[in-house]
Amino acid sequence: EAIDAASQLTVDTLQPVDYGNLVLKEGEAVYFAAPARTFTSKEKITGYTGGSRGVNVHVVKGVNFRVGNHRAKPIRETVYSFHHGDYVVTNRRIVFIGADDHFEFKLENVSAVKQLADDAFTIIAGSKSKNITLDGTDIVYAYTTTVLLVNAMA
């Protein structure tokens, strides 16, 4: 249902919404605003697997010497880091306002908007990129509104 409604959106059918936490410039209007998260992914070592072989040699009272080798292999996993805030799209820029992360991209500088998953997309502006995720149907409207307004600036 949300996908069908979003697919009917055009630049001409977008309606401004109220969002009081952003200082707007002359002629600027907010077309989407909702709670969202930015995220990054990084491969990290989260543990080790394997074991060791060898023997303990008793040298003197309280002193042991270990002879052998260790064959542990690192366990690597993708770890995600999320930052909460508000994702706001105007007719001139894309803004994320959060306590730990924030950004502002002018629409004319955005070179790509690509869906990453059902609940996430990325925005590329110059050498910077930001991954965005939203809950429920907000993701559909956020992605569609972003793409429509970026394309309107092209």
Side-chain angles (χ1 to χ4, degrees), residues 6 11 16 18 31 39 47 51 62-63 79 83-85 88 100 113 115 117 127 132 138 140-141 144 154:
V11 173
D18 289 330
Y31 287 94
F39 67 95
V63 177
V79 178
H83 302 283
H84 297 266
V88 183
D100 299 321
V113 180
Q115 192 163 357
S127 63
I132 306 291
D138 283 344
V140 176
Y141 288 104
T144 303

Side-chain angles (χ1 to χ4, degrees), residues 64-82:
N64 290 318
F65 184 68
R66 175 117 177 118
V67 179
N69 63 4
H70 190 264
R71 297 177 127 193
K73 292 186 179 183
I75 299 171
R76 297 180 186 276
E77 292 184 21
T78 302
V79 178
Y80 293 92
S81 175
F82 292 90

Side-chain angles (χ1 to χ4, degrees), residues 6 12 20 28 36 39 44 64 69 75 77 85-86 95 100 102 104 113 116 119-120 125 127 129 131-132 141 143 151:
D12 297 329
E28 185 175 28
F39 67 95
K44 289 188 174 185
N64 290 318
N69 63 4
I75 299 171
E77 292 184 21
D86 290 339
V95 181
D100 299 321
H102 58 276
E104 179 177 328
V113 180
L116 300 174
D119 64 346
S127 63
S129 67
N131 299 325
I132 306 291
Y141 288 104
Y143 178 76
N151 287 339

Side-chain angles (χ1 to χ4, degrees), residues 4-67:
D4 289 339
S7 68
Q8 302 300 316
L9 287 176
T10 66
V11 173
D12 297 329
T13 61
L14 288 175
Q15 296 295 314
V17 297
D18 289 330
Y19 182 79
N21 296 326
L22 183 66
V23 177
L24 298 175
K25 298 175 168 81
E26 180 82 24
E28 185 175 28
V30 175
Y31 287 94
F32 181 87
R37 294 174 307 282
T38 59
F39 67 95
T40 56
S41 61
K42 189 175 195 177
E43 189 175 280
K44 289 188 174 185
I45 296 173
T46 58
Y48 292 89
T49 184
S52 62
R53 283 190 259 177
V55 294
N56 284 328
V57 178
H58 179 71
V59 180
V60 292
K61 184 177 179 181
V63 177
N64 290 318
F65 184 68
R66 175 117 177 118
V67 179

